[in-house]
Amino acid sequence: MTRAASAETVAACLRIEGTDFTAPEASRLMVKKTKLKTQAAEAAAGCADALDLIVKSYAVMPLTEDLLRELHRILFWHTTDGTVRGGDYKTGLDERAAPGSLFFETAPASQAPALTRELIATVNTLLTAQELHPLLTLAYFNAVFPAVSPFARGNGRLSQLMTVLIMLQQGYGWASAASLTRLMDNDKGRFITALRATQLTLTHPAPAWEPWFDFFTDSLTRQMLEVKDRLTLLGSAGTRLSPLADFILTQAQMKGSVTVRGLQHESRAVMATVRYHVAELVKKGLLIQCGAGPATRYSASHAAKTDTSV
């Protein structure tokens, strides 16, 4: 389950920054270590490396400026275009001008290092003092860090990776079992609206935290419920799923019902491979087949949903 969630997180991190990438593509890259032929694949490989390090070593990764810059450096390990040096603060480039950027405004390059250090110090203080719930402290970080955007590129990816790191460090182990980033990306309209509503007030004496905090905690709740559903379903089936099969099942859970053609389009896997995994999930009782022929739809066996959109 962790591998599938990691692939979903990697793909969603890229999509949040405006790059089209799917979880099956990320999974194949992570498992087969395929040759990196595109800039998107290079970005995905770096994101996967950083996420893998976090999941394996979060207990010995103190939240510091050096750690932040090291993770950013890893994000760009595989990048060959030479336009960005991982770990270096921006020197004038502004991510708000990037296509698909979620950030309406970012700090000037001259202020980015100091603001980053201030943010890290504040988060550490809040986590240590425990005067604010750690998940609200995490929500605070997720609102302020994109507004600072200390690096020329990769701030969206880094923000999401830091979310996983802090959650694991605070004892929320299910952070690596279901992708919070995917849930946010799937609700991108609310994501952008809530983030901007709060970011517009960050310089006010009393910032409006409620829009972003509400969206963030709602996403966390959906993540927790998804983990619970997956554990129940997989536990009753007594089986482990491949990344593609897990992706298919997740799509069925989220959308109510799916078609083979829709799954093939979303996953970009070979049609025959998708058909095979769907058939296996039906045999295992994890999917329910509805209808026959090209119009056949499949729903998760535990879900009583009526939404038939794909």
Side-chain angles (χ1 to χ4, degrees), residues 5 8 26 37 106 143 161-162 200 239:
E8 291 172 350
K37 299 179 180 180
T106 63
L161 293 176
M162 292 299 293
L200 282 168
T239 185

Side-chain angles (χ1 to χ4, degrees), residues 243-283:
L244 180 56
D246 187 75
F247 171 80
I248 291 170
L249 186 58
T250 298
Q251 291 293 301
Q253 290 172 320
M254 291 191 303
K255 298 182 178 181
S257 68
V258 292
T259 65
V260 170
R261 183 174 296 278
L263 291 167
Q264 191 276 329
H265 176 74
E266 291 287 338
S267 67
R268 299 182 185 176
V270 176
M271 180 66 80
T273 303
V274 175
R275 291 186 186 280
Y276 168 79
H277 283 290
V278 168
E280 287 298 304
L281 288 170
V282 171
K283 289 180 182 178

Side-chain angles (χ1 to χ4, degrees), residues 32 61 66 72 80 99 102 114 144 156 169 187 228 238 293 308:
K32 297 181 180 179
M61 299 174 73
D66 287 343
H72 188 263
T80 58
L102 297 179
V144 177
Q169 290 179 336
D187 202 3
K228 181 180 178 181
T308 58

